[in-house]
Amino acid sequence: MELRTLRYFLAVAELGNISKASLFLHTSQPNITRQLKNLEDEIGKPLFKRGKGMILTEEGIYLRERANQIIDLFDKINEEIKTVDPLNSVIAGTIKIAGGETYAMDFIGKVFKKFHEKYPLVKLDIESVATKEVIKRLEKGTIDFGIMIEPAPITDYNFLKLPRQNTWGCLMRRDSDLASKEFVTPDDLYDKPLLLFHSSAHLNMFKIWLNKNPSDINIVATANLIYNESLLVKNGLGYAITLDKLVNTSGDLELTFKELRPKVTAYLDLVWKTDIGLSKHARLFLDELRTELEKEED
């Protein structure tokens, strides 16, 4: 199984058409057809249902996920090798970070600005994903760092506690029943339609705070991006349990945010895998983070 063949496979899977894939890849249709047949022969199962379009089979869907991981890892390694300078005079490459939307990015951005002034050839790649996806990418080695919102399995990794925190609260329409309150309590939310983060750890945390049986909670939707949640709230679907500092609720905007009481603080951590060595530019960035952490603690 060659990387080139996997790239051909992914192009056809994405475009759904060999003709379009051949134009995208600057190669002939017969070449792509031959490569796909060889791949299917090697695997021993069909990857596409041939018809009006190229539709993935169940095996094809599985291979697409794995092939994307393989290609991402190869591209990351290839970039790092190309940017290695034998004289150690040039530092270049991309630092890949994945995590949920949190106030931690304020600190990351502050540190990376200084770091980028020293090493202008280093880029930052940020992806907003749920904790499960962070763990998956750390294990596959396709990212350098993850940002996790506690509760999270940070003890399985090396980690730094970040000097930024979020507070859990309730995002609601400004004309809702609870908008006039200073904060919201479990009794306030007991009978309300709720939108929660798509995370088992955070769901469990909220259920403990609410102190109700899970079957008694009216969960109408879950999501892992606060922007999507805010649009659902804006359209009157319910009350979103989320983090502060992520949605603009100032002035006369339609939404407002109220903290939970008892108060629940979300501590934020930067994590990286213990048994996969970081690239030189990632190690230097980690040193910069530690330096800034020491300054903020003084």
Side-chain angles (χ1 to χ4, degrees):
M1 190 179 297
E2 297 181 358
L3 284 170
R4 179 181 60 181
T5 305
L6 289 180
R7 293 187 191 276
Y8 287 174
F9 163 75
L10 289 173
V12 176
E14 177 70 25
L15 299 171
N17 185 287
I18 290 179
S19 176
K20 292 179 181 178
S22 69
L23 293 174
F24 176 75
L25 296 167
H26 305 290
T27 189
S28 68
Q29 293 184 47
N31 182 40
I32 294 180
T33 301
R34 184 173 61 254
Q35 295 289 344
L36 291 181
K37 183 180 184 306
N38 291 339
L39 183 59
E40 289 181 322
D41 288 344
E42 183 178 353
I43 291 174
K45 292 185 178 180
L47 300 172
F48 293 95
K49 301 173 186 176
R50 271 75 171 178
K52 292 183 179 180
M54 299 290 285
I55 302 173
L56 288 170
T57 63
E58 188 173 328
E59 292 79 10
I61 293 171
Y62 176 81
L63 180 61
R64 179 179 60 185
E65 180 182 355
R66 295 304 187 190
N68 275 315
Q69 293 172 351
I70 291 169
I71 296 298
D72 287 347
L73 182 57
F74 175 81
D75 289 344
K76 182 175 182 290
I77 294 171
N78 192 40
E79 179 189 27
E80 291 173 357
I81 291 175
K82 284 182 177 179
T83 56
V84 170
D85 177 46
L87 299 178
N88 293 322
S89 60
V90 176
I91 301 298
T94 301
I95 296 170
K96 293 180 177 290
I97 303 177
E101 295 177 305
T102 69
Y103 190 42
M105 204 49 60
D106 174 75
F107 181 69
I108 298 297
K110 171 187 173 182
V111 176
F112 186 76
K113 183 178 183 299
K114 293 182 178 180
F115 184 79
H116 188 62
E117 289 171 355
K118 296 180 184 177
Y119 308 108
L121 297 181
V122 178
K123 301 175 183 178
L124 186 61
D125 180 23
I126 301 290
E127 291 185 90
S128 294
V129 298
T131 299
K132 283 185 179 179
E133 186 63 25
V134 171
I135 293 172
K136 185 187 297 183
R137 298 188 187 194
L138 284 170
E139 294 300 324
K140 297 296 181 182
T142 56
I143 59 173
D144 298 298
F145 304 103
I147 293 177
M148 293 188 184
I149 307 168
E150 295 186 23
I154 61 173
T155 53
D156 295 339
Y157 303 94
N158 284 325
F159 64 92
L160 287 177
K161 289 194 170 294
L162 298 175
R164 299 289 185 273
Q165 299 171 0
N166 284 101
T167 300
W168 287 96
C170 188
L171 186 69
M172 64 189 75
R173 286 178 58 92
R174 202 170 286 275
D175 60 1
S176 67
D177 294 342
L178 302 179
S180 61
K181 298 179 70 67
E182 183 180 354
F183 48 80
V184 294
T185 67
D187 288 341
D188 293 326
L189 296 177
Y190 174 59
D191 61 346
K192 296 293 188 291
L194 301 177
L195 292 74
L196 303 182
F197 264 144
H198 197 309
S199 161
S200 57
H202 298 142
L203 285 172
N204 291 334
M205 177 274 296
F206 175 70
K207 290 172 182 176
I208 292 171
W209 176 86
L210 198 59
N211 195 28
K212 300 290 181 183
N213 293 325
S215 59
D216 294 334
I217 303 173
N218 182 16
I219 302 174
V220 296
T222 57
N224 64 352
L225 293 177
I226 183 55
Y227 178 72
N228 293 336
E229 279 194 328
S230 69
L231 294 180
L232 297 177
V233 173
K234 181 180 177 182
N235 282 280
L237 186 61
Y239 295 77
I241 305 303
T242 186
L243 301 172
D244 66 339
K245 305 184 182 80
L246 301 182
V247 176
N248 184 4
T249 58
S250 60
D252 296 325
L253 296 176
E254 294 178 78
L255 303 180
T256 186
F257 181 90
K258 305 295 180 178
E259 287 188 7
L260 301 182
R261 286 292 190 278
K263 186 173 182 177
V264 184
T265 300
Y267 296 97
L268 311 171
D269 305 286
L270 184 83
V271 301
W272 64 99
K273 202 168 187 313
T274 58
D275 59 344
I276 294 182
L278 294 171
S279 63
K280 183 169 185 178
H281 51 274
R283 291 197 306 272
L284 288 170
F285 181 60
L286 188 57
D287 290 342
E288 193 81 22
L289 286 167
R290 286 174 169 140
T291 298
E292 291 299 319
L293 279 172
E294 291 175 358
K295 289 180 181 178
E296 295 214 1
E297 289 172 358
D298 291 343

